[in-house]
Amino acid sequence: QKSCAAVEDVRSRQDTTTVQIREPEGILWFLDRDGIAVSYEDEEFESHSGLTGTLDFAGRIILSPGRGVFAAGMDDGTAAGAFYSEGKWSKELFPDMASALNARSTFLEPDGTIWVSADWEQDRSAGHKGGMLALRLGKRQRFLPPHVPSVTYSFARMPEGLYAGSTNRLYLFHGGIWARIPIDGRERPRIDSIVREGEALWVGTRYYGAFRLLDGKWDQFGVDKGLPSASIKNLVVDANHSVWAKSGNSVCRFDGELWQADVIPSEVVEG
């Protein structure tokens, strides 16, 4: 019962089938609403439901060079991840983390390291401790609160180290140590997303708009700088190095000085 309830809770956050990745060989990977991995090769779809080593529910799929496809999610009510290589799945459970991995924050480093965080649904009586994991080839490294956040919503790699954004704080991993980083003097900024754009780190918060860290200086962007809302739900950088944000009900783009709201034409949104 507990496992089913946990699956339904995570599933409720995934509304439709989504394209996840494309392998160099051309294989496409999808996730359906039930968190089942589906591959597409040679004009044929294959559901990976029920295959040995698969997860009950996957919230995200990424491609790890040299290790194959990686799925983050849950299995039997426990945080879990699974690799797919040479036609076989191999899963690993992380029972001391949470009921699931926080799939949205799964992050791949250039060296192939995969960072995963515990999801927010944690039961201390079940031994859940939250925190995060670094999965490297042949080994893994566990990080526990209070040195790291219980739940991480986003990672970003910068020259000075790896940043992790949590609900209440920004963290920096450098020299094997995690440290808390104040954002423009705010101790609890309610972070939902962080992303790198060139030499700048962008931080999206729930109540204070967007912050940019550049050359050691924080700049804040709120409704006075073009955002329709002080709430930033997501940040993305495109191939042209433009920064995009979901603010309120609007998709916005940063023009270098100000944010431009409602950049998607209404006729496109309305179909």
Side-chain angles (χ1 to χ4, degrees), residues 175-211:
I177 299 174
W178 284 97
R180 295 176 182 176
I181 306 297
I183 298 179
D184 200 27
R186 290 175 172 82
E187 283 294 327
R188 297 179 179 272
R190 304 287 289 183
I191 299 169
D192 273 336
S193 182
I194 63 175
V195 69
R196 176 181 181 176
E197 189 286 303
E199 297 304 310
L201 175 72
W202 283 89
V203 179
T205 70
R206 197 167 301 179
Y207 304 120
Y208 302 109
F211 290 86

Side-chain angles (χ1 to χ4, degrees), residues 64-180:
S64 175
R67 302 179 68 183
V69 170
F70 176 75
M74 67 187 306
D75 192 80
D76 195 24
T78 297
F83 283 97
Y84 180 80
S85 180
E86 299 181 352
K88 295 181 179 180
W89 285 98
S90 176
K91 69 182 172 186
E92 186 173 1
L93 304 182
F94 312 114
D96 72 333
M97 291 188 73
S99 295
L101 294 181
N102 186 3
R104 65 174 276 194
S105 65
T106 303
F107 183 73
L108 177 66
E109 293 258 42
D111 67 358
T113 299
I114 299 173
W115 290 87
V116 293
S117 166
D119 200 14
W120 61 269
E121 186 178 339
Q122 300 173 21
D123 183 355
R124 297 293 181 255
S125 66
H128 296 162
K129 300 176 182 177
M132 62 179 74
L133 270 172
L135 301 174
R136 301 181 175 91
L137 189 60
K139 65 178 181 179
R140 66 182 188 180
Q141 189 173 8
R142 185 80 164 92
F143 299 92
L144 294 168
H147 305 290
V148 297
S150 181
V151 179
T152 297
Y153 290 102
S154 191
F155 292 97
R157 166 61 68 177
M158 297 295 291
E160 61 269 28
L162 180 72
Y163 284 90
S166 70
T167 299
N168 292 324
R169 290 185 173 91
L170 182 68
Y171 291 74
L172 173 63
F173 186 61
H174 176 76
I177 299 174
W178 284 97
R180 295 176 182 176

